[in-house]
Amino acid sequence: MRFTNLVRQEQGWEITSATTHWADKHLSVATEMVKTPTHPKPRPWTVVHRKAAVVNAPMTEDGRFLLIRQERVPICATIWERPAGQIDDNAEPDEAQIEAVALRELNEETGFELARGGEMIGLGHFFSSPGFTDEHCYFFLARPVRPSAEHTPEEGEGILECRAFGSEELTEMIAQNQIRDSNTLSMCAR
């Protein structure tokens, strides 16, 4: 089960068959027989199909960026990262729907909202780990942001803290391997 129309078979790519091993409403695991431009004989590839997500770079009025410190069960660690979240709509969402999810995630994960006169700037998308998943994330710069009067945290999140950091602090945190998730590193590179 694919959740995206962003990945398409073209220019010598063809999925000749697929077997889904497991699926729920958020992801599926399948083995696909794939022809590529350089391998015309189909070969098996196990793929995790995952819904798209948004990644926010919330900037305060003084030019600092918000990060959240969150418990991440798969790596048994608590890490600093950008607020992000999955787009729950199964269809390929349009730009307005993607931006609405980015605004919701900003509030849920940080307790901040876009300030009056602020702007959400779309900065494109990236693939989080294209060696095994088609998951892609849409980047947004939200500026300026302010504390929200109506913070509605999502139950089940492992967010412990939200803090603002200057660009130099982020560079140092990356150099010291304190920031090590692909969403945050990709957004900093952007």
Side-chain angles (χ1 to χ4, degrees), residues 25-47:
K25 64 182 184 174
H26 300 288
L27 63 88
S28 69
V29 179
T31 299
E32 299 175 342
M33 294 301 291
V34 182
K35 291 181 182 181
T36 73
T38 60
H39 291 90
K41 181 180 175 189
R43 61 183 173 154
W45 203 268
T46 301
V47 179

Side-chain angles (χ1 to χ4, degrees), residues 48-60:
V48 175
H49 297 292
R50 191 152 192 266
K51 292 180 180 180
V54 295
V55 181
N56 284 308
M59 180 186 281
T60 61

Side-chain angles (χ1 to χ4, degrees), residues 27-99:
L27 63 88
S28 69
V29 179
T31 299
E32 299 175 342
M33 294 301 291
V34 182
K35 291 181 182 181
T36 73
T38 60
H39 291 90
K41 181 180 175 189
R43 61 183 173 154
W45 203 268
T46 301
V47 179
V48 175
H49 297 292
R50 191 152 192 266
K51 292 180 180 180
V54 295
V55 181
N56 284 308
M59 180 186 281
T60 61
E61 201 166 313
D62 64 357
R64 295 164 46 95
F65 291 96
L66 297 178
L67 293 181
I68 56 174
R69 195 165 67 86
Q70 184 164 205
E71 293 178 329
R72 290 302 192 180
V73 173
I75 61 171
C76 297
T78 302
I79 61 173
W80 286 104
E81 58 188 74
R82 299 276 186 197
Q86 195 170 40
I87 300 170
D88 291 325
D89 187 4
N90 279 338
E92 188 64 29
D94 64 27
E95 192 173 322
Q97 292 168 313
I98 296 167
E99 186 174 312

Side-chain angles (χ1 to χ4, degrees), residues 4-160:
T4 179
N5 293 326
L6 188 64
V7 178
R8 294 180 179 86
Q9 298 177 53
E10 53 189 31
Q11 301 170 348
W13 292 86
E14 181 184 355
I15 298 169
T16 60
S17 67
T19 303
T20 300
H21 304 292
W22 185 86
D24 70 7
K25 64 182 184 174
H26 300 288
L27 63 88
S28 69
V29 179
T31 299
E32 299 175 342
M33 294 301 291
V34 182
K35 291 181 182 181
T36 73
T38 60
H39 291 90
K41 181 180 175 189
R43 61 183 173 154
W45 203 268
T46 301
V47 179
V48 175
H49 297 292
R50 191 152 192 266
K51 292 180 180 180
V54 295
V55 181
N56 284 308
M59 180 186 281
T60 61
E61 201 166 313
D62 64 357
R64 295 164 46 95
F65 291 96
L66 297 178
L67 293 181
I68 56 174
R69 195 165 67 86
Q70 184 164 205
E71 293 178 329
R72 290 302 192 180
V73 173
I75 61 171
C76 297
T78 302
I79 61 173
W80 286 104
E81 58 188 74
R82 299 276 186 197
Q86 195 170 40
I87 300 170
D88 291 325
D89 187 4
N90 279 338
E92 188 64 29
D94 64 27
E95 192 173 322
Q97 292 168 313
I98 296 167
E99 186 174 312
V101 172
L103 287 166
R104 184 194 73 220
E105 290 296 332
L106 172 67
N107 180 268
E108 285 178 0
E109 296 199 347
T110 68
F112 281 70
E113 65 186 2
L114 202 57
R116 184 182 309 216
E119 57 186 338
M120 291 293 284
I121 302 169
L123 300 174
H125 70 274
F126 81 106
F127 292 97
S128 62
S129 190
F132 82 97
T133 183
D134 60 1
E135 178 191 44
H136 58 284
C137 302
Y138 296 95
F139 287 137
F140 285 92
L141 172 62
R143 69 175 182 199
V145 297
R146 66 176 182 208
S148 174
E150 296 182 28
H151 177 217
T152 52
E154 188 174 344
E155 192 170 317
E157 294 273 10
I159 299 170
L160 306 176

